[in-house]
Amino acid sequence: MQLDWLIRMKEALDLMEKRLDGRLDIEEIAKAAYVSPFHFQRMFHMLTGMTVAEYMRKRKLTLAAQELATTSAKVLDVALKYGYDSPESFSKAFRKIHGISPSEARNPGVSLKAFPRISFHLSLKGDKDMDYRIAEKEAFTVVGKSIEVTCQNGEQSQHIHKLWQECHRDGTITKLASLGADENLLGVVEMQPDNETMTYTIAGIAGPEAATEGFSVKTIPASTWAIFTSVGPLPGAIQNVFGRIFQEWFPATGYEISGAPELEIYPPGDTTAEDYRCEAWVPIVKK
């Protein structure tokens, strides 16, 4: 199963390279990997730390810089070739990656960034079991405090950490833990289809008479969940579990992520303790 996954991902990457001078068709790319577009983009982001669009952008601007440095092609022609509608938008993106304008790339001895093609490798770990269970759960309601953040350059982790700090400081955590259904806190991860942005909510499960004023209210749809236990201090332990789910568990199973929110379930306790136990809930569908 893992070898099949590796071959399919390589074929998808090959197709992405062929599409660098054209418009990205994520449905075509995902089809090469035999998964849904959402699953492909979520897997790609979790495995590489980049969104598909971010990776493609860096690869295109790497090739564009090489072309400008080694040929007499016009900046406008290179911009259009790599999918930019105007020299202005191309110049802005180019400067963000290389720190110089496209025309300066022609200067002898100028320093340019080269972002190489990535590759996936099969890692046979086997040194640590991944215990999990599959559960069905009806739709339920959560209430909490939300932020929308970009997933580019790993910025989401910093913003989420700040949100938790703020919620501890202003008493939000205490309020959410007393909403009535249970004492667990939730981290609710809602990825946009392109994985470029996400909404993260620190929430509690709403009881029938929970006071929701001042909080955002969300319905978690009925889903099939793969549930994994995390043991260790936060946030490192649960981040490691989510990483292993996408690096090891999905490639070895016949499931893919459904597109419903992903959940972090935090029971009361010392979250800095070596034996702190919490859970990662991933919504799944059979391929």
Side-chain angles (χ1 to χ4, degrees):
M1 181 74 75
Q2 285 184 315
L3 183 57
D4 291 341
W5 172 87
L6 188 69
I7 292 170
R8 294 196 299 267
M9 290 300 287
K10 181 183 181 301
E11 290 174 349
L13 285 172
D14 289 343
L15 188 55
M16 289 166 71
E17 285 292 309
K18 293 176 183 177
R19 297 290 184 269
L20 288 177
D21 59 352
R23 184 173 294 278
L24 173 67
D25 184 341
I26 191 61
E27 291 195 2
E28 183 185 10
I29 303 297
K31 188 176 180 180
Y34 292 88
V35 294
S36 70
F38 185 90
H39 183 78
F40 179 79
Q41 293 191 97
R42 189 71 178 114
M43 282 285 290
F44 191 94
H45 184 223
M46 291 297 291
L47 292 172
T48 69
M50 294 175 289
T51 66
V52 171
E54 187 179 1
Y55 171 72
M56 293 290 282
R57 186 163 51 248
K58 288 180 176 180
R59 287 292 296 137
K60 286 183 176 186
L61 290 169
T62 292
L63 298 184
Q66 293 172 1
E67 197 161 326
L68 289 168
T70 59
T71 74
S72 58
K74 295 179 181 179
V75 170
L76 176 59
D77 291 338
V78 174
L80 293 174
K81 177 179 179 180
Y82 291 102
Y84 290 87
D85 296 330
S86 69
E88 290 76 20
S89 61
F90 176 62
S91 181
K92 182 178 179 181
F94 193 94
R95 188 179 289 277
K96 190 172 182 180
I97 294 292
H98 297 287
I100 58 175
S101 69
S103 58
E104 289 176 300
R106 301 189 189 281
N107 296 340
V110 70
S111 177
L112 296 168
K113 302 284 186 186
F115 192 83
R117 170 180 169 162
I118 63 170
S119 60
F120 293 113
H121 300 281
L122 186 62
S123 177
L124 299 175
K125 297 191 177 181
D127 59 338
K128 190 174 182 182
D129 292 336
M130 282 203 80
D131 294 330
Y132 71 96
R133 66 186 191 276
I134 304 292
E136 305 279 345
K137 187 173 178 62
E138 293 299 316
F140 61 99
T141 301
V142 300
V143 298
K145 184 176 286 190
S146 301
I147 55 169
E148 185 172 313
V149 296
T150 177
C151 295
Q152 294 185 34
N153 302 314
E155 292 181 27
Q156 72 276 12
S157 297
Q158 180 182 354
H159 292 297
I160 290 169
H161 179 65
K162 285 183 179 179
L163 179 64
W164 277 100
Q165 288 181 319
E166 291 170 7
C167 287
H168 277 289
R169 271 198 310 267
D170 65 16
T172 296
I173 296 296
T174 302
K175 292 177 185 176
L176 293 175
S178 63
L179 286 174
D182 62 37
E183 295 181 303
N184 292 340
L185 289 172
L186 282 71
V188 182
V189 179
E190 298 172 273
M191 303 299 303
Q192 292 301 311
D194 61 3
N195 274 243
E196 287 281 281
T197 59
M198 64 177 281
T199 300
Y200 186 88
T201 305
I202 297 175
I205 299 176
E209 298 180 2
T212 60
E213 185 177 353
F215 292 124
S216 58
V217 181
K218 296 179 179 291
T219 298
I220 307 300
S223 299
T224 301
W225 303 89
I227 302 172
F228 303 80
T229 299
S230 165
V231 181
L234 299 179
I238 198 163
Q239 288 174 348
N240 181 57
V241 168
F242 271 105
R244 292 189 67 205
I245 290 169
F246 286 89
Q247 293 165 13
E248 301 173 38
W249 190 78
F250 272 122
T253 68
Y255 293 104
E256 63 180 54
I257 197 161
S258 74
E262 299 158 36
L263 304 177
E264 305 156 0
I265 310 295
Y266 298 118
D270 179 3
T271 60
T272 65
E274 292 296 325
D275 61 351
Y276 178 72
R277 301 175 72 87
C278 57
E279 292 181 335
W281 287 40
V282 181
I284 56 172
V285 292
K286 265 289 188 184
K287 289 183 183 177

